[in-house]
């Protein structure tokens, strides 16, 4: 047992202060989550469009049959509720009364509040808490408290927590069971990097977590409410100075990337085989997500293609003005766009390489793509099922008008399509492959030598040693 690490009281029982990070779509499922809880930790079912099963136990494909985006959104919400309920019930059974089961939602996912209500109503007595980030989930405390369930907001700064506390959380303080500090430079998936922070200049998490604790103290939050460090956590021995540290108060740790490579993990064998090949720097912090948030994923051909697409981008004017004195003669089919001389030459070069279609962005620029890419982009935008509260890629918004009012952005992608595909055996080179920035440790950690893939129990036991 790693020195200083002690069980905490959570959900009415003692558990290890080790939390499985929730990963959607369909990656943190019942098998992984239930096993993590059975090992004495806090398992986390992703309630982001989780899988449902037919009577024979086969995954039910999430097929959208409605003709309008609003109707497809209603289908999506029902899929999300039904899937998460099934996952929680299965995870609870696997846990066998040990550990605890949380659910995780993205506040900016489509129908987030409806999904939360729907899942918690049908899983009473099974869900110990709700973790929630990707936005400012002001209503999280109210919803969780109404079901007698703990809530654990995910933030990346003390300032964010302060805003949540003052506006809402202070009114349901007794249900605040932890605050997840998700490091925006280290964690996988979406994160809370602000416009004031430089994605290229990582900050030491210690002073940020210290500032978060000071903010919590100023609000009257108990020292026993742990801050849960998420992002970059691999060996507990690397965080020895955080444990029993009076500056930080109670500390717990969240593991999102390490649970990917276990026997219970539902990801494909192809995906599992790729993880031990990753090098330091292979995970990219980027802003291509249609959520508008920064996120971190493996820099595979899918992500590289998005980088290159944005590099094939030029600004335009609708009339000759300033340096924009040259009429664009490729990619625009007779429409009048005025560009600089240098950009005209670049556009002609891209056209000669096969990028013969120019698509407008919301920022008065054009990106050049192949005709095949254009067809995929337009089809994916047309097939939108409203999986986000606001989507830059399709211009969907979960509002009365169902539109952001902005032009759909071809520099992004359909996140529901790619996450569903990779979670169910799709090509790992042609899909978004979320991972934390410590994923390269799979290659360096001797625990995984000779291709060893542990059970969740073996992984938790290993973590508890400090390794």
């Amino acid at each position: 047992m790693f020195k200083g690490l002690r069980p905490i009281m959570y959900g009415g029982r003692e558990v290890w202060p080790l939390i499985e990070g929730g990963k959607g779509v369909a990656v943190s499922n019942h098998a992984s989550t239930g096993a993590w809880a059975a090992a004495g930790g806090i398992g986390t079912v992703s309630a982001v469009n989780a899988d449902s099963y037919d009577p024979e136990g086969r995954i039910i494909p999430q097929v959208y049959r409605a003709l309008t985006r609003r109707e497809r959104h209603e289908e999506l919400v029902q899929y999300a509720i039904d899937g998460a309920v099934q996952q929680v019930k299965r995870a609870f059974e696997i846990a066998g009364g040990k550990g605890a089961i949380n659910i995780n939602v993205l506040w900016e996912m489509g129908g987030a509040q409806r999904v939360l209500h729907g899942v918690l109503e049908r899983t009473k007595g099974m869900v110990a808490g709700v973790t929630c980030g990707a936005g400012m989930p002001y209503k999280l405390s109210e919803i969780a408290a109404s079901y007698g369930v703990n809530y654990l907001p995910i933030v990346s700064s003390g300032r964010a927590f302060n805003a949540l506390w003052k506006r809402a959380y202070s009114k349901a303080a007794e249900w605040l069971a932890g605050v997840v500090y998700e490091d925006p430079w280290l964690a996988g998936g979406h994160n809370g990097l602000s416009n004031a922070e430089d994605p290229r200049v990582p900050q030491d998490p210690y002073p940020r977590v210290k500032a978060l604790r000071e903010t919590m103290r100023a609000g009257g939050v108990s020292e026993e409410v742990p801050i849960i460090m998420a992002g970059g956590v691999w060996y507990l021995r690397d965080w020895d100075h955080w444990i029993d540290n009076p500056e930080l108060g109670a500390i717990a740790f969240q593991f999102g990337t390490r649970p990917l490579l276990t026997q219970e993990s539902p990801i494909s064998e192809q995906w599992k085989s790729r993880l031990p090949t990753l090098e330091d720097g292979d995970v990219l912090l980027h802003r291509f997500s249609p959520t508008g948030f920064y996120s971190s994923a493996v820099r595979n051909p899918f992500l590289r293609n998005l980088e290159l697409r944005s590099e094939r981008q030029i600004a335009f004017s609708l009339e000759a003005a300033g340096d924009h004195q040259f009429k664009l003669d490729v990619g625009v089919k007779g429409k009048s766009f005025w560009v600089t001389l240098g950009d005209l030459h670049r556009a002609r070069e891209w056209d000669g390489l096969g990028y013969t279609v120019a698509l407008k962005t919301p920022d008065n620029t054009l990106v050049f793509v192949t005709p095949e890419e254009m067809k995929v982009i337009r089809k994916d935008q047309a097939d939108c099922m409203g999986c986000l509260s606001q989507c830059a890629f399709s211009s969907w918004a979960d509002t009365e008008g169902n539109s952001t009012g902005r032009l759909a952005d071809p520099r992004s992608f359909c996140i529901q399509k790619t996450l569903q595909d990779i979670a169910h055996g799709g090509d790992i080179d042609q899909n978004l492959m979320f991972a934390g920035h410590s994923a390269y440790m799979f290659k360096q950690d001797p625990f995984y030598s000779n291709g060893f893939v542990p059970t969740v129990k073996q992984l938790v036991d290993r973590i508890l040693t400090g390794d």
Side-chain angles (χ1 to χ4, degrees):
M1 190 63 53
F2 188 66
K3 62 177 182 177
L5 194 71
R6 292 181 295 274
I8 60 173
M9 288 301 297
Y10 182 76
R13 62 172 62 96
E14 280 195 345
V15 300
W16 291 115
L18 308 177
I19 294 91
E20 176 195 22
K23 298 172 287 298
V25 170
V27 171
S28 296
N29 77 348
H30 68 277
S32 175
T33 299
W36 192 276
I42 302 173
T44 306
V45 164
S46 171
V48 182
N49 288 101
D51 287 332
S52 299
Y53 304 94
D54 66 18
E56 283 73 46
R58 294 171 298 202
I59 293 173
I60 298 173
Q62 296 189 14
V63 178
Y64 296 87
R65 296 181 171 84
L67 297 179
T68 68
R69 294 202 293 187
R70 168 50 65 182
E71 291 171 321
R72 291 194 293 271
H73 173 72
E74 293 302 314
E75 291 180 286
L76 175 131
V77 169
Q78 197 58 54
Y79 275 134
I81 294 171
D82 291 344
V85 168
Q86 287 197 36
Q87 295 296 334
V88 167
K89 289 181 176 179
R90 287 176 174 228
F92 188 77
E93 183 177 340
I94 292 170
K98 299 176 181 177
I101 302 293
N102 281 354
I103 62 172
N104 177 67
V105 296
L106 277 74
W107 195 246
E108 294 300 328
M109 73 184 194
Q113 295 183 50
R114 292 170 60 194
V115 171
L116 262 181
H117 279 292
V119 175
L120 293 176
E121 180 65 37
R122 291 166 55 186
T123 57
K124 291 178 179 178
M126 301 180 193
V127 174
V130 181
T131 56
C132 183
M136 292 292 280
Y138 290 109
K139 292 193 175 182
L140 172 64
S141 55
E142 176 187 333
I143 295 171
S146 70
Y147 293 95
V149 167
N150 296 305
Y151 65 99
L152 304 90
I154 302 171
V155 300
S156 292
S157 68
R159 185 176 65 175
F161 177 78
N162 190 48
L164 292 165
W165 178 258
K166 287 186 173 180
R167 178 166 168 179
Y169 292 0
S170 59
K171 301 179 182 70
E174 67 272 27
W175 296 104
L176 178 66
V179 178
V180 181
Y181 169 76
E182 186 175 64
D183 190 278
W185 293 276
L186 295 173
H190 292 102
N191 63 64
L193 193 73
S194 73
N195 291 329
E197 294 161 334
D198 191 335
R200 297 162 299 182
V201 184
Q203 296 182 20
D204 181 357
Y206 186 93
R208 294 172 66 91
V209 171
K210 180 173 177 285
L212 172 58
R213 176 59 75 184
E214 290 168 354
T215 301
M216 293 167 65
R217 285 173 178 145
V221 178
S222 168
E223 292 286 308
E224 297 306 308
V225 174
I227 293 174
I228 299 155
M229 177 61 200
V233 181
W234 195 271
Y235 300 131
L236 286 182
R237 53 181 159 85
D238 293 336
W239 304 85
D240 181 35
H241 60 297
W242 287 49
I243 299 171
D244 286 334
N245 184 327
E247 283 192 327
L248 302 182
I251 288 287
F253 298 94
Q254 180 167 297
F255 296 82
T257 298
R258 289 192 77 169
L260 287 171
L261 190 55
T262 65
Q263 293 182 29
E264 292 89 345
S265 170
I267 65 174
S268 69
E269 291 304 316
Q270 183 188 29
W271 190 346
K272 289 182 182 181
S273 296
R274 177 63 61 86
L275 292 171
T277 71
L278 296 176
E279 303 283 355
D280 191 5
D282 281 352
V283 173
L284 177 70
L285 177 60
H286 65 89
R287 207 170 187 177
F288 296 116
S289 170
T291 61
F293 296 119
Y294 280 94
S295 65
S296 291
V298 175
R299 194 168 180 251
N300 62 358
F302 174 86
L303 206 51
R304 184 63 185 135
N305 182 56
L306 290 169
E307 290 182 281
L308 293 171
R309 184 185 301 170
S310 280
E311 290 171 9
R312 294 190 304 272
Q313 183 173 190
I314 57 174
F316 69 85
S317 298
L318 295 177
E319 57 185 28
D323 293 335
H324 292 195
Q325 296 292 331
F326 301 87
K327 190 173 182 180
L328 187 63
D329 55 8
V330 292
V332 291
K333 294 186 177 178
K335 296 178 183 177
S336 296
F337 295 94
W338 300 85
V339 299
T340 67
L341 180 60
D343 283 346
L344 177 62
H345 290 320
R346 293 168 70 206
R348 287 173 175 172
E349 180 181 352
W350 296 330
D351 183 77
L353 293 172
Y355 302 102
T356 58
V357 180
L359 299 177
K360 288 177 66 176
T361 80
D363 299 318
N364 290 327
T365 62
L366 297 167
V367 292
F368 282 74
V369 300
T370 66
E372 293 75 20
E373 282 182 304
M374 183 269 287
K375 290 176 183 176
V376 172
I377 290 168
R378 293 302 188 220
K379 184 178 187 320
D380 288 349
Q381 289 171 334
D383 289 345
C384 172
M385 73 294 289
C387 75
L388 300 173
S389 62
Q390 294 190 66
C391 176
F393 177 67
S394 69
S395 76
W396 155 271
D398 190 5
T399 58
E400 187 174 339
N402 298 146
S403 174
T404 62
R406 286 172 59 82
L407 192 67
D409 196 337
R411 295 168 296 186
S412 189
F413 57 93
C414 176
I415 196 164
Q416 180 74 202
K417 173 187 172 183
T418 186
L419 292 182
Q420 286 284 358
D421 193 37
I422 195 169
H424 298 101
D427 190 340
I428 61 170
D429 284 333
Q430 300 304 322
N431 282 297
L432 184 67
M433 189 180 178
F434 278 143
H437 288 260
S438 292
Y440 70 92
M441 288 296 296
F442 283 120
K443 188 172 187 177
Q444 298 186 12
D445 189 340
F447 185 53
Y448 301 95
S449 59
N450 300 316
F452 178 64
V453 177
T455 64
V456 168
K457 177 68 163 61
Q458 288 171 323
L459 174 58
V460 172
D461 287 347
R462 176 77 170 191
I463 290 170
L464 287 170
T465 69
D467 287 338

